[in-house]
Amino acid sequence: MTGRARAMWTEPLAAVLLLLPVASPAQQPSAPHASPTNPAPMHDMPGMSEHAMVMPIPMPAGMPMMPGLVGLAPGVTPFLPGAGLDLARLPAAKASAVVRLKNGDTLDLTATLVRRAIAGHAFAMYGYNGEVPGPLIRVPRNATIVVRFHNRIDLPSAVHWHGVRLDNRSDGAPGVTQEPVAPGADFIYRIHFPDAGIYWYHPHVREDVEQAMGLYGAMLVDSPDSDYYPPANRDAVLMLGDLLVNADSLIPFGREGPDFALMGRVGNVLLVNGEPDYALHVRRGEVVRFQLVNVSSSRTWNVSFGGAPMKLLAGDQSRFEREERVMSVVLAPAERYVVEVRFDRAGRVPLVNAVQAINHYQGEFVPEVDTLGMVTVDAAPVAPDYGRAFSTLGAHPDVSRDIDRYRGYFDRPPDKRLTLALATTALPLATVQFMSIDTAYYAPVEWVDGMPDMNWLSTSKQVRWVLRDDVTGKENMDIDWHVSAGSVVKLRIFNDPTSFHPMQHPIHLHGQRMLVVARDGVPSTNLVWKDTALIPVGATVDLLIDASNPGAWMLHCHIAEHLGSGMMAVLHVDPPAQGSGR
Amino acid sequence: MRLALAAAVLLAAAPLPAAHSGSTLSDAAGPYDIALFSTPTAPAARGHARLVYAPSPFGVAVTADGRARYDVQITASALPAPSTLGAFSSYVAWEVTPDLSRWTRLGVVAKGTSTVGPAELNKFLLVITAEADSMPAAHAGPTVLHGTSPSGWLQSFLTHPLFRGVAP
Ligand SMILES: [Cu+2]
């Protein structure tokens, strides 16, 4: 629905399906009533429903719905926010406004239903203060602000201040730091910003619904150092999201739990700051500092500006040790990167997301390019011209010096180990058959949803994504790690490529900062502080956690449907006075 | 079928090279291993390769169009001196498209483990040839070892590049 140049998947080869092996029962370890080789009738399968509303799912061109799945619907009650309301009576969503706050200021943040027009269709969706994205909160580093959150939507909610190393009580993690804020209720957050950079806020209740429907906003924390970033003619915050639409309707969510539990809900309408057609006008030679935030539930992006030169400055929580040239920017859900782009030729420059899809029928990789918007470059030259500064790659010894304290830990054996895996129960036979060959693709990242029918039908009742502690064997919320504040923890995460339907996972740790010190044993050579790290399929990633902020902190996959399917644990950072406990 | 295939490849791969001082990854061996097979040119030659992420500031190393970029750690043994095979001085690794039409030089293969690359194709053949010099403009010498990237294993016959254009 966006202007997209997509290679068509035009050669259906259903016969290949007959040759597919069937997964061994061990790959669905906890199926209580049926095995993949001896399936129960569909109506006996927990979570499968034949009488729920059937909503045909948009399939990629040339890809038919699997015969074994036709007529099925996810075993959850279909739910769309604001269903039955008169759209005309909802206020139209406004664009994000910048709210500059200083130390001690208070902001009222209200989640409500709004009306949005996307690609010619009007939908009831959510917004903060009537805006999508929500207000852009701009604060100086070291400020503390108060946010009075008012929940006026039809679901419980809570606000998580993503990436901010704040007081645990304000982390917005229901079940860990607070109760969900009921519809009509309020909650007060006190947020301290110790690190400059780009952050974002979003709900931590059913984010598969609430975030996708528009509840997200950015926070820019300004350094007192006016030369923190190289000079740019302008700043632009780009929040990259997507929305799943079929014809003129949104695909409903599951009332009791997420659907699309396997791959996450991957939208087919790509949005920049909530809109499908991003537009920016600049002058020739202009340097634009783009602050990129991935707010989508599941999609990993690979964005670039038509070959225009890009310089990478910063990641989640800090600048890189060294600026470097990049051809594109890869962002997993919740990651942020700051890049400068110089538009040195007049004309139109597309902002594109260019990835490799997989044709699961044919075992082929298929290039897919989505145009997210257009930068129009005027012929008139910009003033001042920062071309010379742009061509220089700066180094940040202060970042390196800060990291120096931790380098002695880089090569130590891991303190903790996690394996990422999947357990499923009673998926449809057709899904099991098809997915059982998935490990043969060896794609470290699934950039698009190549099997939306199977994905849609999978719910959190049938799918449990797993973080497994290699030492204790404990999984997800049973893990319960304790370390004392001030510890440096080396966490090795292995994304098991032999598990059933392996997939990349962006692992997010609340309230602390961490370094990706190695991938597959290859040390990182240009470090940056992060709160979210992409763990590709088959990868072994070593994270070094600076566990300096006391409290109970969630560690979870930021694919909203994976989180909704159990993929979370808690890291307790105990105050030193209390000892390490366990 | 898949498990048998994976097992065969894992068995064919020799012990993995230690990649990171002070940290052993062998217990978490990734899947991106390539078994290398010899040819009549050097029948005793043995080898395997491992794909590791090329340097990148991001969570994965990819090209602007989204193809994964890997460095290739090649471990070879029992390779005869190139000069014993003819007028050759070096062994060179190539990334080759599955239809054999495009060869891209990845780097020189020496005794022990050599890191070459990056390889940037979704699917490719890894071919090691003897060449007259270490920087040949095109491949010319005989193949001594060859293998297939893991993503090339899943390949339906009808869509195999070598069969395209052939009437059924
Ligand atoms: Cu995940």
Side-chain angles (χ1 to χ4, degrees), chain A residues 27 302 312 328 330 337 354-356 362-365 411 417 436 439 441-442 444 492 519-521 523 536-538 540, chain B residues 2 20-25 27-28 31-32 53 57-60 62-66 70 122-123 150-151 153-154 159 164:
Chain A
Q27 287 169 312
N302 181 41
L312 178 66
S328 60
V330 177
Y337 287 103
V355 301
Q356 302 288 308
Q362 294 180 302
E364 291 283 5
F365 291 81
D411 281 341
R417 291 160 174 262
S436 63
T439 54
Y441 292 104
Y442 288 91
R492 176 167 293 172
R519 291 188 188 87
D520 289 348
V537 175
T540 300
Chain B
R2 173 177 58 79
H20 194 201
S21 65
S23 128
T24 53
L25 283 178
D27 56 336
Y32 304 129
Y53 284 119
F58 305 114
V60 288
V62 297
T63 60
D65 65 357
Y70 294 110
N122 287 322
K123 300 177 181 184
S151 52
W153 295 342
L154 189 73
T159 61
R164 281 193 189 133

Side-chain angles (χ1 to χ4, degrees), chain A residues 504-506 557 559 562 567:
Chain A
Q504 74 276 7
H505 300 282
C557 177
I559 290 177
H562 293 187
M567 203 169 200

